[in-house]
Amino acid sequence: MMKYYQNKTILITGAASGIGKLFAERVSEVTGVRLILWDISAKSLQKMEDELAPKTKVVICELDVTDSGQVEREANHIMGQKIIPDLILNCAGIVSGKLFHQYSYQEIEQTLNVNVTGSMNVVRAFLNEMIHRGTGHIVNLASASGYIGNPRMSVYAASKWAVMGWTESLYLEMKEHQTEVNVTAVVPSYINTGMFEGVKAPLLTPILETDDIVERMLRGIAKRKRTIQAPFMVRFTPFLKGILPASVFDWVAGRIFGVYKTMDSFKGRGK
């Protein structure tokens, strides 16, 4: 499995915490890997560089993925050194567990910008060079909320539905034009990274540990899977939603599995 990552340049956004951080730590042990780590937290990035530099080549950049100008400038700087990522892993994301009418306009804009536009900015900056080179792999972190709506997750769910639609369309474009650029969507349920602190797991859908989903990602990416879903009920959700009337599905999801109450005790990371 890990042979896939040998001698690859891997760019990770949201690299200073959660999935991005652990993924970087895991692949840093692979021969010849070069890591490009982007995050908005300079202090956390510096700590990661100190930890990983003895193992592999590491380049860090304090960067806001929502700033297209900053993304383009940093991408051009990297490509000016004849470096093009072999793998882009979009992990940067935020959530605010509120009812929709409680959101400020700024919170709506920020969530969509970070979770959707930010990932698009990063991919857009490097995609032409990947296509020209004839190789590349883009991995976007989506969510099970891209399959099913949920109270207190309206804006987050909207952002992940957008990520799912964009990723699927991008996959089809790359395949149709025979670019050899792979595209993968990662679709997990709640993950124990602190981002969803306080949530209650639905029936038969346990909260994933970070090392579990990262292990699944490492394997799925190496196999060039189109979609990586976890746990099992996430794969089952689109099927149920497709065969059941909407009212019946809502009853099953809400009353039996308890999905619609999972965010009632949400705390999150806070500011």
Side-chain angles (χ1 to χ4, degrees):
M1 173 188 72
M2 300 305 282
K3 287 183 179 180
Y4 174 79
Y5 301 96
Q6 288 182 354
N7 303 311
K8 281 185 167 51
T9 297
I10 301 173
L11 187 154
I12 304 174
T13 71
S17 63
I19 292 173
K21 182 176 186 293
L22 185 55
F23 194 97
E25 291 171 348
R26 286 294 308 276
V27 295
S28 69
E29 302 170 0
V30 178
T31 303
V33 162
R34 183 202 307 265
L35 290 174
I36 302 171
L37 307 179
W38 288 0
D39 199 280
I40 203 166
S41 173
K43 183 177 180 180
S44 298
L45 277 177
Q46 186 59 61
K47 185 177 180 181
M48 283 195 70
E49 183 181 33
D50 294 341
E51 293 173 355
L52 299 180
K55 302 179 183 178
T56 191
K57 296 177 182 178
V58 181
V59 178
I60 63 171
C61 181
E62 178 189 2
L63 184 142
D64 180 357
V65 294
T66 69
D67 186 336
S68 59
Q70 187 183 12
V71 170
E72 185 176 22
R73 286 191 298 273
E74 185 59 26
N76 288 337
H77 173 70
I78 292 170
M79 291 187 290
Q81 302 175 59
K82 307 299 181 183
I83 300 171
I84 304 169
D86 297 292
L87 170 64
I88 295 175
L89 177 56
N90 279 309
C91 290
I94 58 173
V95 63
S96 181
K98 299 180 179 181
L99 299 173
F100 183 71
H101 67 272
Q102 297 171 334
Y103 275 86
S104 67
Y105 293 105
Q106 183 182 12
E107 287 171 327
I108 294 171
E109 183 178 13
Q110 184 181 29
T111 301
L112 294 175
N113 281 345
V114 173
N115 295 357
V116 187
T117 309
S119 294
M120 290 182 173
N121 287 340
V122 175
V123 172
R124 178 62 183 83
F126 293 102
L127 186 56
N128 283 334
E129 293 300 323
M130 283 184 165
I131 293 172
H132 179 73
R133 183 181 58 190
T135 60
H137 200 149
I138 295 161
V139 181
N140 295 323
L141 190 61
S143 166
S145 63
Y147 289 151
I148 177 174
N150 197 10
R152 299 183 184 274
M153 292 188 76
S154 57
V155 181
Y156 181 80
S159 73
K160 294 304 181 179
W161 284 40
V163 170
M164 293 287 286
W166 166 53
T167 304
E168 182 175 341
S169 299
L170 183 60
Y171 169 87
L172 294 170
E173 289 177 359
M174 295 300 99
K175 183 177 180 180
E176 180 179 342
H177 292 278
Q178 300 179 339
T179 64
E180 299 301 324
V181 175
N182 297 295
V183 182
T184 299
V186 182
V187 190
S189 61
Y190 294 123
I191 306 171
N192 187 23
T193 62
M195 186 174 177
F196 285 99
E197 183 68 30
V199 300
K200 181 180 179 182
L203 181 68
L204 301 180
T205 311
I207 294 176
L208 294 165
E209 294 300 324
T210 311
D211 56 355
D212 182 15
I213 188 62
V214 168
E215 182 67 22
R216 292 171 187 259
M217 288 169 61
L218 287 167
R219 293 182 182 278
I221 293 167
K223 292 178 180 178
R224 298 167 181 82
K225 284 190 173 183
R226 180 174 178 176
T227 309
I228 300 168
Q229 301 156 302
F232 171 77
M233 283 304 296
V234 173
R235 288 177 281 172
F236 197 49
T237 298
F239 173 74
L240 279 180
K241 200 170 185 181
I243 65 171
L244 296 178
S247 59
V248 176
F249 178 83
D250 285 343
W251 184 83
V252 171
R255 296 295 182 88
I256 295 180
F257 290 100
V259 174
Y260 299 155
K261 295 293 184 181
T262 56
M263 289 288 289
D264 286 358
S265 53
F266 170 82
K267 296 178 182 177
R269 287 199 183 106
K271 292 184 179 180

